């Protein structure tokens, strides 16, 4: 179906880590005749949507499936951890940032036995330590980590962590919310059993639809694991889909229409071209920050290519809030950091934007620094 755009919607450039800037065709894809999602017509849409979500990570649709949930991205972490742990076993969270800490908190809330293996937020996990913990704790049945720690922008070595998990007989779940449909992923080669994302990030659609892509055999095996949540159980949702083609409870109908359009646009742009565009945007962000003298937190070679965490300058005139408001009024959204020990702000390369948007942003950002008397190049005391 061709989407008509009856008028141009005011375009905002979102440099926050999701939701992202969307195209008008994706926005207007939500305007559809009312439909009950229990109709066969809607079920047909969901079937191809579920297959596309597997194909985006190059999964074989016999071996891998996708399971949809109504909610923001955190619902996926909740579902994976509470559903995939057998009785009497433990979870290992390889934790070097805010999103893996969220996974640890989920374990705590459900009372799931777990090991919180912490590493500094500005360093990649030490694989030798991960292996040692796996070796010493044969009751670990599930290893979880985050691909791109969106709090800092560090890229974690998931293929290597996945290989270790498998060597010690554990299932590997990865929070790929801030890489899926941006940085290319190959589910099988990357040793992933389950990855996850939501429609409002890499796919450039809207909040309300989240999905887990993973191994059918493991989901089927989890049928006999303890049921710890009624709404957020992976097997129950999967099983209902397989039997009826529908979500167990009411799906986010309009968001699904928008996501289907967004996937159409994803295939049209192409995996490689899209990643090249995100990379252009990311490089333009670095160029702009470098020109103003900003420092970032994560070593360049370890960044995932999507999120830059810049350190607040040591200038009494610097105010994130004021600069934010100045940019926001002009259509650009910047975002606070998520590191407890350092004051940072983030600029992200998600969404339907390109390098010219970043140049336009930096012109406005520079005006804001001048207006509030922040010296350029920015100052750092140490
Ligand atoms: C955005 C994001 C999530 C989901 O956060 P919500 O606030 O629930 O949308 C989870 N993990 C990562 C790595 C993310 O970037």
């Amino acid at each position: 179906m061709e989407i008509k755009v009856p008028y141009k919607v005011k375009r905002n450039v979102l440099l926050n880590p999701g939701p992202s800037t969307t195209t008008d065709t994706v926005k207007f894809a939500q305007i559809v005749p009312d439909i009950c999602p229990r109709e066969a017509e809607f079920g047909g849409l969901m079937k191809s949507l579920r297959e596309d979500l597997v194909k985006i990570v190059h999964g074989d649709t016999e071996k891998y499936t996708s399971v949809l949930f109504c909610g923001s991205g955190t619902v996926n972490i909740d579902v994976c951890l509470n559903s995939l742990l057998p009785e009497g076993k433990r979870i290992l969270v390889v934790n070097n940032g805010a999103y893996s800490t969220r996974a640890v908190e989920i374990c705590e809330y459900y009372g799931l036995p777990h090991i919180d293996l912490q590493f500094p937020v500005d360093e990649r996990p030490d694989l030798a330590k991960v292996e040692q913990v796996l070796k010493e704790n044969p009751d670990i049945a599930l290893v979880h980590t985050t691909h791109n720690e969106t709090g800092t922008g560090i890229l974690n070595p998931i293929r290597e962590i996945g290989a270790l998990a498998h060597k010690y007989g554990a299932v590997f779940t990865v929070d790929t919310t801030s890489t899926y449909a941006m940085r290319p992923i190959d589910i099988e080669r990357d040793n992933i059993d389950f990855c996850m994302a939501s429609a409002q990030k890499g796919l450039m659609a809207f909040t309300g639809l989240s999905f887990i892509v993973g191994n059918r055999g493991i989901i089927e095996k989890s049928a006999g694991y303890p049921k710890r949540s009624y709404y957020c159980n992976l097997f129950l949702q999967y099983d209902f889909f397989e039997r009826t083609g529908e979500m167990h409870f009411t799906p986010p109908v309009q968001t699904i229409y928008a996501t289907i359009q967004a996937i159409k646009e994803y295939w049209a742009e192409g995996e490689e071209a899209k990643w090249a565009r995100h990379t252009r945007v990311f490089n333009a962000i670095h160029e702009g920050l470098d020109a103003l003298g900003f420092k970032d937190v994560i070593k360049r070679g370890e960044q995932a290519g999507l999120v830059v965490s810049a350190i607040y300058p040591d200038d009494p005139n610097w105010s994130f809030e004021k600069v934010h408001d100045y940019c926001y009024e002009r259509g650009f959204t910047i975002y606070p950091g998520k590191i407890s020990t350092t004051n940072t702000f983030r600029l992200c390369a998600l969404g339907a934007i390109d390098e010219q948007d970043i140049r336009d942003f930096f012109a406005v950002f520079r005006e804001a620094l001048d207006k509030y008397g922040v010296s350029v190049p920015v100052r750092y005391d140490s």
Side-chain angles (χ1 to χ4, degrees):
M1 192 177 52
E2 214 47 55
I3 307 295
K4 287 197 195 70
V5 175
Y7 60 91
K8 259 175 94 70
V9 180
K10 175 178 179 274
R11 184 162 177 274
N12 289 328
V13 172
L14 300 186
L15 301 175
N16 48 293
S20 55
T21 298
T22 58
T23 60
D24 280 356
T25 35
V26 168
K27 290 184 188 79
F28 283 107
Q30 296 177 104
I31 313 297
V32 288
D34 293 319
I35 184 170
C36 171
R38 303 296 176 204
E39 294 299 333
E41 182 186 346
F42 196 78
L45 291 176
M46 292 233 271
K47 184 170 185 298
S48 53
L49 167 62
R50 286 181 64 207
E51 288 172 357
D52 276 332
L53 293 172
V54 176
K55 289 177 192 158
I56 286 173
V57 288
H58 302 275
D60 165 4
T61 51
E62 289 290 310
K63 180 169 175 187
Y64 298 96
T65 185
S66 72
V67 184
L68 315 181
F69 287 89
C70 191
S72 76
T74 304
V75 74
N76 293 324
I77 316 174
D78 186 321
V79 168
C80 277
L81 297 178
N82 92 61
S83 307
L84 292 169
L85 185 69
E87 186 75 65
K89 300 288 187 181
R90 269 205 289 185
I91 292 174
L92 170 63
V93 181
V94 179
N95 179 2
N96 61 342
Y99 288 91
S100 288
T101 298
R102 192 174 291 181
V104 170
E105 285 168 5
I106 289 168
C107 292
E108 287 167 358
Y109 273 52
Y110 281 105
L112 304 174
H114 64 282
I115 297 172
D116 176 11
L117 183 60
Q118 293 184 18
F119 296 98
V121 297
D122 55 353
E123 283 174 31
R124 288 185 173 167
D126 177 346
L127 295 172
K129 280 200 187 131
V130 173
E131 174 149 27
Q132 190 193 342
V133 169
L134 283 164
K135 199 184 273 177
E136 288 168 0
N137 298 279
D139 60 343
I140 293 169
L142 193 161
V143 176
H144 178 88
T145 198
T146 308
H147 192 196
N148 168 24
E149 252 301 347
T150 319
T152 57
I154 198 169
L155 179 71
N156 283 325
I158 54 167
R159 194 178 288 187
E160 291 79 2
I161 297 171
L164 287 173
H166 292 162
K167 182 173 168 190
Y168 292 90
V171 164
F172 186 44
T173 65
V174 190
D175 180 352
T176 52
T177 313
S178 60
T179 46
Y180 182 96
M182 292 179 283
R183 194 181 172 95
I185 293 171
D186 183 311
I187 191 165
E188 184 128 33
R189 262 199 287 158
D190 288 331
N191 296 318
I192 298 170
D193 295 310
F194 295 91
C195 59
M196 57 194 79
S198 337
Q200 82 274 16
K201 297 229 178 171
L203 287 176
M204 314 190 306
F206 298 103
T207 315
L209 177 69
S210 291
F211 45 88
I212 295 166
V213 181
N215 185 300
R216 263 179 214 280
I218 297 174
I219 300 177
E220 283 167 11
K221 208 168 133 196
S222 76
Y225 295 176
K227 303 282 183 297
R228 302 172 176 101
S229 168
Y230 183 74
Y231 198 83
C232 296
N233 183 272
L234 185 59
F235 176 77
L236 290 181
Q237 186 78 314
Y238 165 79
D239 186 53
F240 200 84
F241 261 124
E242 294 298 303
R243 285 186 289 110
T244 67
E246 297 174 13
M247 269 167 92
H248 199 171
F249 307 107
T250 310
V253 176
Q254 282 69 22
T255 305
I256 286 176
Y257 279 102
T259 306
I260 289 167
Q261 175 63 20
I263 290 176
K264 220 164 129 186
E265 294 178 16
Y266 175 86
W267 295 128
E269 183 173 12
E271 180 184 56
E272 240 179 88
K274 186 168 187 287
W275 175 231
R277 178 170 60 75
H278 290 304
T279 304
R280 280 198 299 279
V281 170
F282 180 74
N283 290 339
I285 291 171
H286 273 304
E287 275 165 33
L289 288 172
D290 288 348
L292 296 169
F294 278 93
K295 291 186 189 169
D296 51 1
V297 178
I298 303 298
K299 289 189 223 52
R300 286 293 157 94
E302 297 190 353
Q303 296 182 13
L306 291 158
V307 174
V308 183
S309 287
I311 302 173
Y312 281 9
D314 294 313
D315 186 320
N317 290 335
W318 165 262
S319 157
F320 173 80
E321 291 70 25
K322 283 185 186 160
V323 172
H324 166 276
D325 293 353
Y326 187 91
C327 296
Y328 180 76
E329 283 158 17
R330 288 156 185 82
F332 298 96
T333 300
I334 64 174
Y335 204 67
K338 218 177 176 51
I339 305 175
S340 55
T341 49
T342 317
N343 283 321
T344 55
F345 66 97
R346 285 179 284 176
L347 300 177
C348 307
L350 280 70
I353 60 176
D354 212 329
E355 54 192 338
Q356 187 56 45
D357 294 308
I358 302 302
R359 288 193 207 108
D360 295 345
F361 159 71
F362 274 106
V364 169
F365 187 71
R366 174 68 201 252
E367 281 170 18
L369 297 181
D370 291 344
K371 178 177 159 107
Y372 296 112
V374 179
S375 54
V376 172
V378 295
R379 287 185 356 226
Y380 290 100
D381 294 340
S382 53

